[in-house]
Each structure stands twice: as structure tokens, then as C-alpha cells.
Amino acid sequence: MKPFTAIFWLLFSLAANANAKVNVVTSTTDLASIARMIGGDNVDVTSIARGTADPHFVEVLPSYMVRVQKAKVYLKLGMDIDRWAAPIIDGSRNGKLVVVDCSQNIAPLEVPTGKIDASMGDVHPHGNPHYWLDPDNGAIIASTIADALTGVDPAHAAAYAANLASFKSQLETHKAAWQQKSEAIRGIKIVTYHNSWPYFARAFGVEVEDFVEPLPGIEPTPSHTAHVIELIKTHQIQIIGVEPYFSMRTPETIARESGAKVVQLPPSVDGAPGAQDYFSLFDVIIDRLAAAR
Amino acid sequence: MHAMRRITALHAAVVWFGISAHQAAAQTLSNPDLSLVGDFRVVGRSQEAADSTGERELSFVFEELELDFNAYLNPYMRADVFIGIHGTGPDVDVEEAVMTVLRGLPAALQLSVGQYLLDFGKINTQHSHQWSWMDRPLMHRTMLGDEGLKALGARLTTLIPIGDSALGLSASAFSGSAFEAHEHAVAEGHESNEDAPAEIMGSARVSVFRQISDLWSAELGASYLGGDYDPTESLSTHIAAVDWKLRWRPDSYRAFSWVLETMRSEREVASVDSLATSIHTVDAWGAFTSAELQWTKRWSAGALFDWTQDATVADAETTAIGGFLDFWPVEETARIGLVYRHETSDRYNFDNDTVTLQFLWGMGPHKVHAF
Ligand SMILES: [Zn+2]
């Protein structure tokens, strides 16, 4: 009898734990950060991808599957960037999981027209998926998450609504501060490694002139690198922004040849020291760009 | 017989898709994901027999064109079909044609029905183009079959969380005809009754996957399969395997992985002497290991050790060692591989050196990176 009693108590306490908070798993740290602010004490949130990892490529591990098996909600980025989430979700065998595509209400940029294929590199058919880097899209993501949490946990609907309102008002305060701070970078021309920044650029008036990658997802080539060096010289571009998961080698070569400065720009929460949540992420990006001018 | 089964299976796959295409039209669903993998090789081999006669040959090999169809059938199920076309001839082979119930079953079970690569050990579940070492391990060829073990049957799997680790359990029941190729190899002139239904065999695998840190992960697995593989003579086989994989993935530029698999086979074999057929048991061990390091986005290199005792002939061993180099010219859709392999066997009296240059490409939806 004794072992059975032990197992019963173990299962019971696990079940009780699972009921205490809504278990949320997200594809990336940015969604996790927003989900924590909306969910507050009523949720337990973890992200599959690390903040310093490339969100396009995440290995499908059984440990992720068991994490999703215990979850109630999965928040994915969508727009084809986290295709790896599908085999993780399938592998979890979780029939009650609510899967929420956080891109569902945003207005995408760079939606390709006409036929796309691999000769254009790793182009995303539904548009550029780095949409969380516009703070206005952060508000849309927050609303989507609040709806999802309310759906699975209606008992705390009022708390989620209050947290959403508070998130939005905090975001407005931050936006005012960012707009002021970003005066220093308004109108600057930059080159970035990958096309991760069109939403950020639109929000803060930065002009992204070209990319270290010749095409999305394609490793730098000597001819394209030479072209970028020329472009930096003729347009007097000062900054080469590099996401933390790319090699510094080619950007540093370009910097040496052109006189521009290499700056590591974290596109995600936890991608750099100080970028510990969705709000401070923008502070770090703006500060790093401003400091490099 | 073998070709016959293949064609029947292919026919089944075509009919299956006929049905799903019909339903797709009715439900205005999109087409299944379609991927193609091409594997073309240039093989140079120098062979030396003990009587010191040797030969050298260079050949172009169309190793495989693989057609993959994958689609969800509904929110609970998906179907995956992998068809291999070998050479330019009519040698078509259904590698997998399987329907899986992904969710909705109790105890986090998944049910697969159809033909699938049996999860016996780790390597048998992979398609050959996933291996940088290119050649199927020797112990697989003698114990499981020249093309590995494709089970025609049904499988239940589950995944149980133990803290952050994952305990995987899997059990299969499948047709013993998967072993018929051996039977022919074993007993020359021993005619099998083609119309006799094959025996049902069983297999099970237990595995523990653990993420040691953000960068390191490891999996340890143990598998068993057994049963009568020949209905006429009621010959039995029992095989056990232990597999291990260690992986390090610090960023998208670098990776290290080490796989180790060892197997023990116990098989009843019929031998035909002039008039009488006698049955005896052959015990065999085998081991395969390979380690591979990717040090930049485009290059990786590794080494392999491959050894086995023959599953059907007592006291016969084959050993191979080798090294390999992989180069991705642009991204993961195209790979050039080079393998050097030295293979020897005293019993079979050969000493081979093989150099293979492989051109591998894949079109269609990007493959995700599974552990
Ligand atoms: Zn991208």
C-alpha cells in the first residue's frame, strides 16, 4: 500500500500545482516577458528559445516536448519564423493545449508579392516576422495574450484586463521616453546583419540601408561584402548592427575597410545585459545605437 | 517477392493519396508538404583479397531520390510518406507510409499505424541521408537488414516528464516479413512459403533524454525486439540494443555530436545439409560509434568505428574505420560530403578502401532540426 499512497500524493500534488497557475510556454523570450506582465501571479511562463539564440533555428528536443506537455497555453511568434514549434507541440501529445499565434492581429511589413522560392534566400511568405520590435505591436501582442489567458482562466479575467491596461499605460510612458531618447538616432543610416529591424526602424526613424547577408539566411559572400563596404563609404553609414547569434567576423572586416562601427543589437529580451524585459529591451537597443553614433 | 511487396506498398500509398486528395478538395485544405532529397555519389573503391588479387573501380551511383509527403489529416492526426527511388531503374521502395494519432489519446500516447522505421536503437529511425558517415552500420545490415528495419505494423509511444528530463516509451507489433531478406541470405535453396502469413514480432524501446545545460543534451536508450521471423520453420530472433547520443550546440555555427550504438543478436538459423534441415542459434555482437564536430557554419568533420559479428554465420566479423568531411556551399539545402572508409573481414577475405563523394540536396519546406 505504501508506495501507492506515495504515488497518489505525488500525482495529487503535481495536479494541485498545475491548477495553481496557468502554465504558459512561449517560443521566444519577448513573448514570455509580455506574458509575465499580463499574467502576473496567475501564470508560470517559460520560453523555449534563449534570448541570445536565433529564433529562426531551434532544435526540437524531447525536453521541450515534456515542458509543453505540462502547459495550458503555447504562445508562438507565427509568420513562419518558429516552424520548429509545430513538432514540439505535436511531440508534447497535449490534446488540451491552446496554441496562440501572436502575429494574428499585427499588420505585417514586407509581404512578398508574386511567387517566392529559395533563390531569394529564406524569405518568409507571410512578411517579415520580426514584428515584436515595434512597441505598438507589443500592445497588440499583449491584447492577444490577455485574450488567450482569459479564455483558459476566466476566473482571473479581471486581473488580466487590469494587467493589460497597466501594460498599455506603462508602454505609453516608455514610448514617450524612447521617442525623446531616440531623437539622437532619428534619421541615421545603418547596415544590419539580418533583416530583423524593419519594424524597429519604422518606429524610431532609423534607415536600414543594407544587410551583411546577401539574402535572408544566406552566409556573407565576398562580392556582397565588397558591395556593402562601398555602400557604407558612399552613404556615410556609421553603424553595422549585429544580432548576438551571428558571427562578428564579416561585420568586423566591413568595419575595418569602411570605418563604420560594429554594434551588437539584441533583438530579443535577455539578448544582452540590461535587456531583462520587453521595455528595457528597447532602452538597450536605442542606447547602443546612440552611443555608437 | 520483395519487389512485389514494394509495389503493393507503393500502390497502397497512391490509393491513400487518392483518398486524401479527394478529401482535400472537399475541405478546401492545402496540399501536403512535399520535399525531395537527392543523393548522388561518386564512389572509388580499391579491393584487395587475401590471395593478393586486387581491383579498383570508380562508379557513379544514384543512391536515392527521396520523395516526402507530410500533412495533418485533422487536428489530431498526421500522415507521413517517404518514398525512395534508388538508381535510375524501377527500384522503388516505400520507406515509410504511416498515419499517426498525435493527441487526444489517454496517457499522452501516440499511435502510429503503417510502415515506419522501427525505433530500435537511435540510428534505425533516421533516413540514410541524415548520416554524414553515409553507410548503414554493419551490425544493422546483418542483424536488421540491408536497408535497416522497416516495420509494417502498429506502434504506441509516450513521453513522460521526469523533472526537466523526458522518459520515452515505445512498443511496436510488426510483421516478421521485415526479416525475410535474411532468410534468403541464410538458407540458400530454402524456399519460403510466400503465401503463408508472416509471424508478428514485437519490439520496445525505453529512452531518457536530458538537457544537461543550455548547450549540452544527452539521450540514453535501450531497445529489444524478438519473435518468430519465419512461419514455416518457426525460427526465432532476439536482438537487444543500447544507444547513446551526446550533443553540444552552443550557437548556429558550431555543434558536436557523439553517437554510440551496440547490439546483441541471437538468431535461430536453418541450415540445409543434403537432405535434412537442422536449426542452430548464432549469437552476434555489434557496435557502431561516430563523433562529429561542426566548427563553422559550412564545415564539419568526424570519424567512425563500425564492427559487427555476422548475425547468421558463426565466427565471422567485419570491421571498418573511417573519417568524413561535410561542406555546405550556401545553406542547408545543399551538402557535399566526403567519406573515407577502410573495411576488412578475415572470414570473408577482403580488405577494402572506399572513398565516396556525395552531392546531397533537398528542396521543399525546410527540415526542422530534431535531436
Ligand atoms: Zn528573419
Side-chain angles (χ1 to χ4, degrees), chain A residues 189-212:
Chain A
K189 295 184 167 88
I190 67 172
V191 163
T192 61
Y193 197 105
H194 177 73
N195 187 9
S196 315
W197 306 94
Y199 296 91
F200 178 87
R202 183 186 59 177
F204 296 99
V206 172
E207 287 169 40
V208 181
E209 297 286 301
D210 208 340
F211 312 104
V212 176

Side-chain angles (χ1 to χ4, degrees), chain A residues 30-31 34 77 79 102-109 128-145 164 167-168 171-172 175 178 198-200 202-203 278 282:
Chain A
D30 309 289
L31 298 181
I34 298 173
L77 272 174
M79 297 181 77
C102 293
S103 73
Q104 57 184 281
N105 293 321
I106 68 115
L109 293 177
N128 191 296
H130 302 270
Y131 60 89
W132 67 93
L133 286 165
D134 178 343
D136 288 338
N137 285 342
I140 296 172
I141 297 167
S143 298
T144 303
I145 294 174
L164 177 63
F167 176 88
K168 285 182 171 168
L171 187 67
E172 286 309 313
K175 265 171 68 184
W178 294 331
Y199 296 91
F200 178 87
R202 183 186 59 177
Y278 186 69
F282 288 99

Side-chain angles (χ1 to χ4, degrees), chain A residues 50 54 56-67 69-70 83-87 89-97 118 121-122 193 216-221 245-249, chain B residues 72 76 78 102-105 108-110 157-161 163-167 209 211 214-215 217 219 247 249-253 296-298 330-333 365-366 368-371:
Chain A
R50 282 174 287 136
D54 185 345
H56 301 81
F57 302 104
V58 169
E59 287 192 301
V60 175
L61 304 181
S63 47
Y64 299 151
M65 295 173 189
V66 294
R67 226 201 283 171
Q69 192 178 98
K70 294 181 271 187
R83 276 174 295 207
W84 44 265
I89 292 166
D90 288 349
S92 79
R93 295 139 159 96
N94 186 338
K96 292 182 183 132
L97 186 72
D122 197 5
Y193 197 105
I218 305 294
E219 281 278 272
T221 57
Y245 39 85
F246 289 118
S247 162
M248 283 291 189
R249 221 175 60 193
Chain B
Y72 290 100
Y76 301 94
R78 62 177 290 126
L102 298 168
R103 53 190 138 248
L105 298 177
L109 285 168
Q110 279 184 348
T157 68
T158 190
L159 201 60
I160 300 164
D164 290 337
S165 303
L167 172 70
F209 174 90
Q211 230 175 310
D214 279 346
L215 314 183
S217 40
E219 186 178 51
R247 185 156 166 84
R249 183 74 168 160
D251 50 50
S252 47
Y253 291 84
T296 74
K297 194 120 184 165
R298 290 175 180 171
V330 183
E331 53 165 353
E332 288 159 346
T333 49
H366 280 218
V368 287
H369 308 245
F371 179 80

Side-chain angles (χ1 to χ4, degrees), chain B residues 19-275:
Chain B
I19 293 164
S20 97
H22 174 76
Q23 285 175 342
Q27 299 173 0
T28 65
L29 295 172
S30 57
N31 294 322
D33 284 345
L34 169 65
S35 310
L36 286 174
V37 178
D39 183 346
F40 176 80
R41 299 179 184 183
V42 184
V43 182
R45 177 177 285 127
S46 104
Q47 186 161 352
E48 215 167 278
D51 57 5
S52 79
T53 53
E55 56 180 85
R56 283 162 189 275
E57 56 177 39
L58 184 73
S59 49
F60 296 102
V61 180
F62 199 142
E63 180 70 17
E64 188 179 47
L65 178 66
E66 188 188 280
L67 285 78
D68 306 351
F69 303 84
N70 316 89
Y72 290 100
L73 304 172
N74 55 50
Y76 301 94
M77 299 177 190
R78 62 177 290 126
D80 299 275
V81 175
F82 299 83
I83 293 168
I85 300 170
H86 307 278
T88 47
D91 193 2
V92 173
D93 186 15
V94 174
E95 302 197 345
E96 296 189 77
V98 62
M99 188 197 76
T100 303
V101 181
L102 298 168
R103 53 190 138 248
L105 298 177
L109 285 168
Q110 279 184 348
L111 171 69
S112 299
V113 181
Q115 175 151 304
Y116 48 91
L117 298 174
L118 188 70
D119 46 345
F120 180 76
K122 183 84 185 167
I123 297 168
N124 191 64
T125 59
Q126 299 167 337
H127 290 264
S128 57
H129 58 79
Q130 292 173 268
W131 307 328
S132 295
W133 59 80
M134 292 186 212
D135 286 315
R136 184 170 290 282
L138 294 165
M139 64 185 176
H140 281 216
R141 287 188 246 167
T142 182
M143 296 179 195
L144 307 179
D146 280 341
E147 286 153 36
L149 192 52
K150 290 167 202 144
L152 179 58
R155 170 174 62 191
L156 276 172
T157 68
T158 190
L159 201 60
I160 300 164
I162 302 176
D164 290 337
S165 303
L167 172 70
L169 300 174
S170 158
S172 276
F174 59 96
S175 165
S177 66
F179 276 84
E180 73 186 9
H182 299 280
E183 193 187 348
H184 292 299
V186 172
E188 301 261 335
H190 165 81
E191 287 298 318
S192 73
N193 183 355
E194 291 189 9
D195 297 325
E199 299 285 323
I200 302 298
M201 300 180 71
S203 83
R205 181 166 189 263
V206 182
S207 62
V208 179
F209 174 90
R210 186 166 167 74
Q211 230 175 310
I212 301 162
S213 72
D214 279 346
L215 314 183
W216 289 91
S217 40
E219 186 178 51
L220 180 66
S223 318
Y224 164 80
L225 79 83
D228 285 354
Y229 67 99
D230 181 325
T232 356
E233 302 285 350
S234 138
L235 300 172
S236 73
T237 184
H238 300 274
I239 314 176
V242 174
D243 59 273
W244 161 256
K245 181 170 179 178
L246 181 69
R247 185 156 166 84
W248 173 70
R249 183 74 168 160
D251 50 50
S252 47
Y253 291 84
R254 294 170 299 159
F256 169 78
S257 54
W258 173 40
V259 289
L260 172 69
E261 207 166 283
T262 177
M263 288 185 186
R264 155 118 181 139
S265 159
E266 220 179 87
R267 183 185 311 227
E268 286 180 349
V269 176
S271 47
V272 187
D273 298 323
S274 55
L275 290 169

Side-chain angles (χ1 to χ4, degrees), chain A residues 25 27 31 72-78 82 89 97-104 131 141 144-149 152:
Chain A
V25 178
S27 281
L31 298 181
K72 259 203 174 120
V73 180
Y74 189 93
L75 301 174
K76 67 174 191 172
L77 272 174
D82 50 355
I89 292 166
L97 186 72
V98 175
V99 180
V100 180
D101 182 339
C102 293
S103 73
Q104 57 184 281
Y131 60 89
I141 297 167
T144 303
I145 294 174
D147 285 349
L149 293 178
V152 298

